[in-house]
Amino acid sequence: MTDKETALQPLLISGRVEMRTGNGHLPKLVLTAARSTAEIYLHGAHVTHFQKQNERPLLFMSAQSLFASDKPIRGGVPLIFPWFGPRDGAAAHGFVRTAAWSLVESSVTDNETSVTLELAQAADSAEWPAHRLRYRVIAGETLRLELETANTSLTRELKYEECLHTYFAIGDIHATRITGLQGVHYLDKVDHFTEKTETAPEIAITGETDCVYLNTTSSVTITDPAWRRQIVVEKSDSNSTVVWNPWIAKAKAMADFGDDEYPQMLCVESGNVDGNRLTLAPGANATLALELRSEAF
Ligand code: TA6
């Protein structure tokens, strides 16, 4: 057993917090709570699965996803930091979703099982002040996610974007409706980032959709008639919501996404991006929190 594995042992709890070998031989944590289970890869601190008893999985995972130490996982909840979207000379959506995270805390109660993962503190670099990320995942009646960013630099401000890029599993995108964004300004990335205002009380997805809603703290509800369930996305300390479905052509263009998978998924992402990017003073920290709940109807 390596030193790292030895250090890990006290944090594992039989039947509640277990370490398994996942896809691509990558280590994954399996969380078992009274009425739900979750799975998190140390690679990218990537939540790939959450399911309540007698319900379908909450999160979509592509059958074509790669599981490699230098590639992002397609589906679940990718962690996006410190930039959102493409960047010249660097991987899209930042570098933490392909980094190796460590388990630093675990705890259980009668109903919940939680773990905290940490990304080793990044020293000051020319581009990024020293910072440290911790990510708490709580599996219970709901799935709670808390991403804490600490600016550990003593002198420099940390300017960053962040997003919990959640892929939800749905029965049929054609019948699915999204509420909670009416009146919100957004950037339509499919229409040259044109600034628009959401006029629909219920948003339908009828083609490639890639909308960055700004200055919104509201919760969002996904209604999925095909699977007769609603998914509620509640967030705190998040001013941006992104709605994305690749639809037909983009689905075909993504090697790690099945051509026929777009009807079974919808991204409703919560974070602080674009005009909502954050500036953290030296020594300060901030936490982006999300609670995901599914309700059958
Ligand atoms: O959040 C939507 C988005 O920015 C889309 O533009 C699309 O690129 C998606 O993220 C997936 O990005 P990825 O880098 O994971 O392929």
Side-chain angles (χ1 to χ4, degrees):
M1 194 178 289
T2 65
D3 291 350
K4 198 167 185 179
E5 287 166 341
T6 303
L8 199 57
Q9 290 310 310
L11 295 171
L12 302 179
I13 305 167
S14 177
R16 301 294 299 271
V17 179
E18 299 181 325
M19 183 68 79
R20 304 266 176 78
T21 300
N23 297 331
H25 301 292
L26 297 176
K28 75 174 176 181
L29 291 165
V30 177
L31 275 57
T32 304
R35 283 179 295 282
S36 63
T37 58
E39 295 182 358
I40 310 141
Y41 279 76
L42 297 186
H43 174 59
H46 199 122
V47 177
T48 54
H49 180 80
F50 176 76
Q51 184 168 13
K52 279 173 37 181
Q53 281 173 4
N54 307 318
E55 280 199 25
R56 297 172 189 268
L58 181 70
L59 304 175
F60 165 85
M61 274 298 299
S62 172
Q64 311 297 326
S65 178
L66 300 173
F67 287 86
S69 59
D70 61 343
K71 295 282 189 264
I73 294 170
R74 176 70 68 190
V77 186
L79 287 188
I80 311 300
F81 178 94
W83 65 84
F84 179 84
R87 189 183 180 95
D88 289 345
H93 287 332
F95 45 73
V96 305
R97 66 173 177 166
T98 51
W101 291 62
S102 302
L103 176 64
V104 294
E105 282 175 18
S106 61
S107 70
V108 298
T109 65
D110 289 349
N111 296 321
E112 293 186 333
T113 299
S114 74
V115 292
T116 300
L117 282 75
E118 186 173 84
L119 188 60
Q121 175 166 315
D124 261 329
S125 70
E127 189 167 18
W128 300 103
H131 57 276
R132 191 212 64 221
L133 298 184
R134 298 186 73 146
Y135 185 47
R136 188 163 180 246
V137 177
I138 306 109
E141 279 303 306
T142 64
L143 175 63
R144 300 203 319 272
L145 306 171
E146 298 168 2
L147 178 63
E148 180 195 66
T149 301
N151 178 355
T152 51
S153 165
L154 298 178
T155 55
R156 296 163 65 188
E157 285 184 335
L158 175 62
K159 296 179 186 293
Y160 64 100
E161 295 175 292
E162 59 181 354
C163 192
L164 299 176
H165 192 301
T166 314
Y167 286 70
F168 292 101
I170 54 172
D172 179 3
I173 192 64
H174 303 92
T176 295
R177 296 291 182 270
I178 304 154
T179 52
L181 292 168
Q182 187 177 22
V184 179
H185 295 295
Y186 67 96
L187 304 175
D188 186 346
K189 292 174 64 174
V190 177
D191 184 11
H192 312 293
F193 284 80
T194 304
E195 285 193 29
K196 301 178 180 177
T197 300
E198 185 54 67
T199 55
E202 284 193 338
I203 299 168
I205 306 295
T206 57
E208 182 184 352
T209 302
D210 197 346
C211 300
V212 180
Y213 292 85
L214 296 171
N215 306 319
T216 174
T217 58
S218 70
S219 61
V220 169
T221 299
I222 302 166
T223 300
D224 177 6
W227 280 1
R228 299 183 60 77
R229 83 170 170 188
Q230 279 195 329
I231 297 170
V232 180
V233 180
E234 291 188 335
K235 60 179 192 173
S236 57
D237 293 309
S238 159
N239 291 306
S240 317
T241 293
V242 181
V243 175
W244 178 60
N245 184 286
W247 212 251
I248 300 167
K250 185 140 192 188
K252 286 178 178 166
M254 294 190 292
D256 60 348
F257 188 91
D259 293 357
D260 59 356
E261 289 185 319
Y262 74 92
Q264 286 92 44
M265 56 72 66
L266 174 67
C267 281
V268 174
E269 310 157 28
S270 307
N272 293 289
V273 304
D274 201 273
N276 295 138
R277 71 182 60 240
L278 297 176
T279 298
L280 213 43
N285 60 55
T287 298
L288 164 63
L290 207 48
E291 182 162 29
L292 308 177
R293 187 172 67 248
S294 57
E295 299 159 348
F297 63 77

Short mmCIF file of all heavy atoms in Angstrom, two decimals, residues 124 129-131 149-160 279-286:
data_model
loop_
_atom_site.label_atom_id
_atom_site.label_comp_id
_atom_site.label_asym_id
_atom_site.label_seq_id
_atom_site.Cartn_x
_atom_site.Cartn_y
_atom_site.Cartn_z
N ASP A 124 1.96 30.70 -5.87
CA ASP A 124 1.88 31.89 -6.72
C ASP A 124 2.53 31.59 -8.06
O ASP A 124 3.61 31.02 -8.11
CB ASP A 124 2.65 33.04 -6.06
CG ASP A 124 1.71 34.00 -5.33
OD1 ASP A 124 0.56 34.14 -5.80
OD2 ASP A 124 2.13 34.57 -4.32
N PRO A 129 -2.55 33.87 -8.66
CA PRO A 129 -2.09 33.96 -7.26
C PRO A 129 -2.31 32.62 -6.57
O PRO A 129 -3.13 31.82 -7.00
CB PRO A 129 -3.03 35.03 -6.66
CG PRO A 129 -3.68 35.71 -7.80
CD PRO A 129 -3.69 34.76 -8.93
N ALA A 130 -1.56 32.39 -5.49
CA ALA A 130 -1.72 31.13 -4.73
C ALA A 130 -3.19 30.97 -4.32
O ALA A 130 -3.84 31.93 -3.91
CB ALA A 130 -0.83 31.17 -3.50
N HIS A 131 -3.70 29.76 -4.46
CA HIS A 131 -5.10 29.51 -4.09
C HIS A 131 -5.25 28.05 -3.70
O HIS A 131 -4.39 27.21 -4.00
CB HIS A 131 -6.04 29.84 -5.26
CG HIS A 131 -5.72 29.07 -6.51
ND1 HIS A 131 -4.74 29.49 -7.41
CD2 HIS A 131 -6.20 27.91 -6.99
CE1 HIS A 131 -4.67 28.63 -8.41
NE2 HIS A 131 -5.54 27.65 -8.18
N THR A 149 -13.34 28.32 -2.63
CA THR A 149 -12.10 28.85 -3.20
C THR A 149 -11.46 29.76 -2.16
O THR A 149 -12.12 30.66 -1.64
CB THR A 149 -12.38 29.66 -4.49
OG1 THR A 149 -13.03 28.80 -5.43
CG2 THR A 149 -11.10 30.21 -5.08
N ALA A 150 -10.20 29.51 -1.84
CA ALA A 150 -9.47 30.36 -0.89
C ALA A 150 -8.31 31.02 -1.63
O ALA A 150 -7.53 30.34 -2.31
CB ALA A 150 -8.94 29.52 0.27
N ASN A 151 -8.23 32.36 -1.50
CA ASN A 151 -7.10 33.09 -2.04
C ASN A 151 -6.01 33.08 -0.97
O ASN A 151 -6.10 33.82 0.00
CB ASN A 151 -7.50 34.52 -2.40
CG ASN A 151 -6.32 35.33 -2.93
OD1 ASN A 151 -5.19 34.82 -2.95
ND2 ASN A 151 -6.58 36.56 -3.35
N THR A 152 -5.03 32.20 -1.15
CA THR A 152 -4.00 32.07 -0.10
C THR A 152 -2.81 32.98 -0.37
O THR A 152 -1.80 32.92 0.34
CB THR A 152 -3.53 30.60 -0.03
OG1 THR A 152 -3.16 30.16 -1.35
CG2 THR A 152 -4.64 29.70 0.50
N SER A 153 -2.93 33.81 -1.41
CA SER A 153 -1.89 34.82 -1.65
C SER A 153 -2.02 35.91 -0.58
O SER A 153 -3.13 36.22 -0.14
CB SER A 153 -2.07 35.44 -3.04
OG SER A 153 -1.29 36.62 -3.14
N LEU A 154 -0.88 36.46 -0.19
CA LEU A 154 -0.92 37.51 0.85
C LEU A 154 -1.02 38.90 0.24
O LEU A 154 -1.27 39.88 0.93
CB LEU A 154 0.35 37.41 1.72
CG LEU A 154 0.49 36.07 2.48
CD1 LEU A 154 1.79 36.05 3.28
CD2 LEU A 154 -0.72 35.84 3.39
N THR A 155 -0.83 38.95 -1.08
CA THR A 155 -0.76 40.30 -1.66
C THR A 155 -1.63 40.48 -2.90
O THR A 155 -1.98 41.60 -3.23
CB THR A 155 0.71 40.56 -2.09
OG1 THR A 155 1.10 39.49 -2.98
CG2 THR A 155 1.63 40.59 -0.87
N ARG A 156 -1.98 39.36 -3.58
CA ARG A 156 -2.60 39.53 -4.89
C ARG A 156 -4.08 39.14 -4.88
O ARG A 156 -4.48 38.21 -4.19
CB ARG A 156 -1.87 38.66 -5.93
CG ARG A 156 -0.43 39.05 -6.16
CD ARG A 156 0.34 37.94 -6.85
NE ARG A 156 -0.17 37.69 -8.21
CZ ARG A 156 0.25 36.64 -8.95
NH1 ARG A 156 1.09 35.76 -8.43
NH2 ARG A 156 -0.20 36.47 -10.16
N GLU A 157 -4.87 39.88 -5.65
CA GLU A 157 -6.28 39.53 -5.84
C GLU A 157 -6.37 38.32 -6.77
O GLU A 157 -5.56 38.17 -7.71
CB GLU A 157 -7.03 40.70 -6.49
CG GLU A 157 -7.31 41.86 -5.56
CD GLU A 157 -8.13 42.93 -6.28
OE1 GLU A 157 -8.08 43.00 -7.54
OE2 GLU A 157 -8.84 43.67 -5.57
N LEU A 158 -7.35 37.47 -6.52
CA LEU A 158 -7.61 36.31 -7.39
C LEU A 158 -8.88 36.59 -8.19
O LEU A 158 -9.96 36.74 -7.60
CB LEU A 158 -7.78 35.04 -6.54
CG LEU A 158 -8.18 33.76 -7.29
CD1 LEU A 158 -7.10 33.34 -8.31
CD2 LEU A 158 -8.46 32.62 -6.30
N LYS A 159 -8.73 36.75 -9.49
CA LYS A 159 -9.90 36.95 -10.37
C LYS A 159 -10.17 35.64 -11.10
O LYS A 159 -9.25 35.09 -11.74
CB LYS A 159 -9.59 38.08 -11.38
CG LYS A 159 -9.36 39.44 -10.74
CD LYS A 159 -9.03 40.50 -11.82
CE LYS A 159 -8.65 41.83 -11.20
NZ LYS A 159 -9.79 42.46 -10.50
N TYR A 160 -11.41 35.14 -10.99
CA TYR A 160 -11.66 33.80 -11.57
C TYR A 160 -13.13 33.63 -11.94
O TYR A 160 -14.00 34.36 -11.46
CB TYR A 160 -11.25 32.72 -10.57
CG TYR A 160 -12.05 32.71 -9.28
CD1 TYR A 160 -13.09 31.81 -9.09
CD2 TYR A 160 -11.78 33.62 -8.26
CE1 TYR A 160 -13.83 31.80 -7.91
CE2 TYR A 160 -12.52 33.62 -7.08
CZ TYR A 160 -13.52 32.71 -6.91
OH TYR A 160 -14.25 32.72 -5.74
N THR A 279 -13.77 38.43 -7.92
CA THR A 279 -12.46 38.91 -7.47
C THR A 279 -12.37 38.67 -5.98
O THR A 279 -13.23 39.14 -5.22
CB THR A 279 -12.29 40.41 -7.76
OG1 THR A 279 -12.37 40.62 -9.17
CG2 THR A 279 -10.95 40.91 -7.23
N LEU A 280 -11.36 37.89 -5.59
CA LEU A 280 -11.20 37.52 -4.19
C LEU A 280 -9.98 38.25 -3.62
O LEU A 280 -8.88 38.14 -4.17
CB LEU A 280 -11.00 35.99 -4.11
CG LEU A 280 -11.53 35.19 -2.92
CD1 LEU A 280 -12.92 35.61 -2.52
CD2 LEU A 280 -11.46 33.71 -3.22
N ALA A 281 -10.19 38.96 -2.53
CA ALA A 281 -9.07 39.72 -1.93
C ALA A 281 -8.06 38.73 -1.32
O ALA A 281 -8.41 37.59 -1.01
CB ALA A 281 -9.62 40.63 -0.83
N PRO A 282 -6.83 39.16 -1.15
CA PRO A 282 -5.83 38.30 -0.52
C PRO A 282 -6.34 37.78 0.82
O PRO A 282 -6.93 38.54 1.60
CB PRO A 282 -4.64 39.24 -0.31
CG PRO A 282 -4.81 40.31 -1.32
CD PRO A 282 -6.28 40.50 -1.48
N GLY A 283 -6.23 36.46 1.02
CA GLY A 283 -6.64 35.86 2.30
C GLY A 283 -8.12 35.58 2.41
O GLY A 283 -8.59 34.98 3.39
N ALA A 284 -8.90 35.98 1.39
CA ALA A 284 -10.35 35.77 1.48
C ALA A 284 -10.74 34.43 0.88
O ALA A 284 -9.94 33.79 0.19
CB ALA A 284 -11.07 36.90 0.75
N ASN A 285 -11.99 34.00 1.17
CA ASN A 285 -12.48 32.80 0.49
C ASN A 285 -13.96 32.97 0.19
O ASN A 285 -14.64 33.85 0.72
CB ASN A 285 -12.23 31.53 1.32
CG ASN A 285 -12.91 31.59 2.67
OD1 ASN A 285 -14.11 31.81 2.76
ND2 ASN A 285 -12.12 31.43 3.73
N ALA A 286 -14.45 32.12 -0.73
CA ALA A 286 -15.86 32.20 -1.15
C ALA A 286 -16.31 30.78 -1.48
O ALA A 286 -15.50 29.95 -1.92
CB ALA A 286 -16.00 33.09 -2.38
#
